[in-house]
Amino acid sequence: MPLDEAASRRAKIVEAVERETGIDETMVARLVHGFYDRVRADEVLAPIFNARIADWGPHLERMCDFWSSIALMTGRYHGQPMRMHAPLPVSGAHFDRWLDLFRETAAEICPPEAAAFFVSRAERIAESLELGIAGARGLMLRKGERLRPVELADGGE
């Protein structure tokens, strides 16, 4: 597909997303900042994030770029999420909590169509990360199987 045609097609998709959901850069930023405010206050997730993020400003900018790329196809995010997440000491329960906080934030900040859009992508991202982290630990999760805590996956308690 020629670049002009691809760019035109992408622009039409973005226009439809914006029209149908109301998502724009301002909403992306409000969602990201609101969500990470909850994460930093959460007793389950805060220790994991706070142990790895000393300066939240750059992280929030990167997450705004990530969600802008997901929702509005801006292409601003240039990272390797699996490489960053693979060593984390997380389990399926952490992903569940992450999604709970994300759903709550999206419902509070976004109109229903936008919240549904963001949540559907977040669910796919969480599933992909959980499977990727399992693979990095040498595990193959079966359909419906969840990542267990690190100590259990390593044969501990």
Side-chain angles (χ1 to χ4, degrees):
M1 173 181 306
L3 287 178
D4 289 347
E5 186 178 332
S8 174
R9 203 167 126 198
R10 183 173 41 244
K12 287 179 183 175
I13 292 169
V14 171
E15 182 182 306
V17 167
E18 290 173 334
R19 183 180 59 251
E20 294 167 12
T21 65
I23 295 172
D24 60 13
E25 293 292 347
T26 300
M27 187 183 299
V28 168
R30 287 181 57 225
L31 176 65
V32 167
H33 286 262
F35 170 65
Y36 282 102
D37 284 347
R38 289 176 193 240
V39 166
R40 288 187 284 188
D42 187 75
E43 60 187 45
V44 173
L45 297 179
I48 293 167
F49 281 85
N50 290 331
R52 287 155 185 83
I53 301 171
D55 185 355
W56 277 89
H59 182 73
L60 293 172
E61 286 179 32
R62 194 166 40 259
M63 292 301 93
C64 286
D65 289 346
F66 175 80
W67 282 102
S68 176
S69 292
I70 296 291
L72 301 173
M73 301 176 79
T74 60
R76 289 195 337 235
Y77 178 77
H78 303 285
Q80 298 174 327
M82 190 55 66
R83 185 176 63 79
M84 298 303 293
H85 289 81
L88 296 179
V90 296
S91 68
H94 291 97
F95 285 101
D96 292 343
R97 184 66 185 147
W98 184 87
L99 283 169
D100 287 345
L101 294 178
F102 193 89
R103 287 182 188 111
E104 290 170 10
T105 308
E108 181 180 297
I109 289 175
C110 304
E113 297 82 7
F117 180 94
F118 281 121
V119 167
S120 71
R121 270 92 186 149
E123 289 169 345
R124 284 189 250 157
I125 291 163
E127 180 180 25
S128 176
L129 286 172
E130 186 174 353
L131 289 171
I133 291 169
R137 293 180 187 169
L139 303 170
M140 178 68 82
L141 298 180
R142 294 185 192 107
K143 186 168 180 73
E145 190 176 14
R146 302 299 305 278
L147 185 60
R148 296 182 305 168
V150 174
E151 58 274 4
L152 293 178
D154 291 339
E157 303 181 341

